[in-house]
Amino acid sequence: MIVQKRLDEILAKLRQRDFRITPQRIAIIKTLLQSEDHPGVEQVYAEVKVNFPTTSLATVYKTVNLLKELGEILEIGFTGGCNRYDGNKPYPHPHLICTRCSKIVDPEVRLLEQMSAELAKATGYRIDSHQVEFFGVCAACQKS
Amino acid sequence: MIVQKRLDEILAKLRQRDFRITPQRIAIIKTLLQSEDHPGVEQVYAEVKVNFPTTSLATVYKTVNLLKELGEILEIGFTGGCNRYDGNKPYPHPHLICTRCSKIVDPEVRLLEQMSAELAKATGYRIDSHQVEFFGVCAACQKS
DNA sequence: ATATCTATAAAGAACTATTCTCATTAAAGA
DNA sequence: TCTTTAATGAGAATAGTTCTTTATAGATAT
């Protein structure tokens, strides 16, 4: 399936840069690729420990950072909370975050390219990246 | 001047909600209102200590959080660094951040309202707030 | 003006997320 | 298989932030 394909790509990239392929790393990458819910490090750790009980939290942190540097996962920064990660869409994209249940959704946004272009033109900045987060209350939480 | 006016407004709001007006608080608010460069807590602390040397860092944190809750300053969340604050435009607005010199600019952005409205319609979320940051290299840094 | 009451400030301890250290283990190429 | 060297694991360290305790400052009533 699609996860296997990306896993192979990431492993190839690791090999190519002389990083070692370890069972822990594979487990961490798989967890990140399979999860739909933008997990935090702690959540990945819990998942990985099911099959590799001796894995340490530091290893998860280090691997997550490595993957971030390789551009294979996206970090979603949370002030005053733990960061969360998106292993499915590793490029910058907007998020819609429910402030009640912490659910994160990836909405379709049309206007971002245009906005970025206008901004660059108006300010003289070269824009490399962005972090666009919308906060609100999801449909389910609005009912309660 | 304009700073005095906003200071009075904030003080009135504090009084109205039975928060006390203390010299430390006034100093912290003034620092936030006067600064143009989106200072962090540590920077505010340094500034306030000039006139009130006994002020503690915790006091600055508490006051900053209080002001944030009152909606009088805007928090700009930074992953892996310290948060910074905008005392001049307390409502959510986009930032353009130079990744070389850390300069922060408040650009004009037209499309955000529209984007937010489309998003709410498409997802069913009630959108309350946003955090929109663009990262790049400012004109000055591009030359070096 | 004074006494009393109450919320705050101050200081540092505590907490949480993350990174570092280093001895030990194990991956990958010879 | 052997060797080299990077990765792991466990806990200590760190940084940013929040909590706790206690004396004090500000408000209130007299």
Side-chain angles (χ1 to χ4, degrees), chain B residues 21-40:
Chain B
I21 314 300
T22 66
Q24 291 89 344
R25 279 193 171 158
I26 293 175
I28 292 165
I29 297 168
K30 267 190 179 168
T31 300
L32 284 163
L33 294 187
Q34 282 166 359
S35 66
E36 306 282 323
D37 57 346
H38 310 78

Side-chain angles (χ1 to χ4, degrees), chain B residues 29-127:
Chain B
I29 297 168
K30 267 190 179 168
T31 300
L32 284 163
L33 294 187
Q34 282 166 359
S35 66
E36 306 282 323
D37 57 346
H38 310 78
V41 166
E42 205 68 43
Q43 203 174 330
V44 173
Y45 178 53
E47 192 99 2
V48 168
K49 281 239 283 197
V50 174
N51 291 313
F52 299 89
T54 69
T55 307
S56 93
L57 191 56
T59 302
V60 179
Y61 271 106
K62 273 187 295 189
T63 304
V64 160
N65 279 330
L66 176 60
L67 291 168
K68 192 176 70 181
E69 272 158 35
L70 292 177
E72 292 295 339
I73 61 172
L74 181 75
E75 184 175 72
I76 310 172
F78 277 87
T79 312
C82 50
N83 294 333
R84 290 166 67 175
Y85 297 88
D86 190 330
N88 298 304
K89 297 165 73 179
Y91 47 89
H93 62 274
H95 294 102
L96 186 48
I97 300 159
C98 178
T99 51
R100 292 255 180 84
C101 68
S102 292
K103 193 172 69 180
I104 300 182
V105 163
D106 294 350
E108 284 303 315
V109 170
R110 298 182 305 107
L111 300 166
L112 206 56
E113 312 290 305
Q114 195 184 337
M115 192 187 276
S116 183
E118 285 185 11
L119 224 58
K121 197 171 178 186
T123 62
Y125 272 58
R126 169 165 59 74
I127 296 177

Side-chain angles (χ1 to χ4, degrees), chain A residues 20-23 57-58 61-62 65 81-83:
Chain A
R20 291 182 185 170
I21 312 300
T22 66
L57 191 55
Y61 270 105
K62 277 186 283 197
N65 279 330
C82 50
N83 293 333

